[in-house]
Amino acid sequence: MKIFIYVSLFLIIVYTMGFGVSMWKEKQKMGALAIFFLSLCLIILPFFSIL
């Protein structure tokens, strides 16, 4: 079950980071920074709540 959680989190983080990169390329830097912060939270928070 933990492997499923790790794979799911990894896929969500990759998709979110890709969206942040595309926003950065479109010169929307504040939005991209917010998306990067969101993906950072996705990396950190599961260790406190799920795992």
Side-chain angles (χ1 to χ4, degrees):
M1 187 66 175
K2 283 188 179 182
I3 293 173
F4 177 71
I5 293 171
Y6 285 130
V7 169
S8 299
L9 288 174
F10 179 73
L11 291 175
I12 292 169
I13 291 167
V14 167
Y15 182 78
T16 308
M17 291 293 273
F19 182 65
V21 168
S22 68
M23 286 189 70
W24 189 273
K25 288 181 181 179
E26 293 176 4
K27 306 292 187 217
Q28 297 179 2
K29 305 230 188 256
M30 288 298 289
L33 290 176
I35 296 294
F36 290 139
F37 179 73
L38 175 68
S39 64
L40 180 66
C41 291
L42 284 171
I43 294 169
I44 294 172
L45 288 178
F47 291 108
F48 294 119
S49 61
I50 297 172
L51 307 174

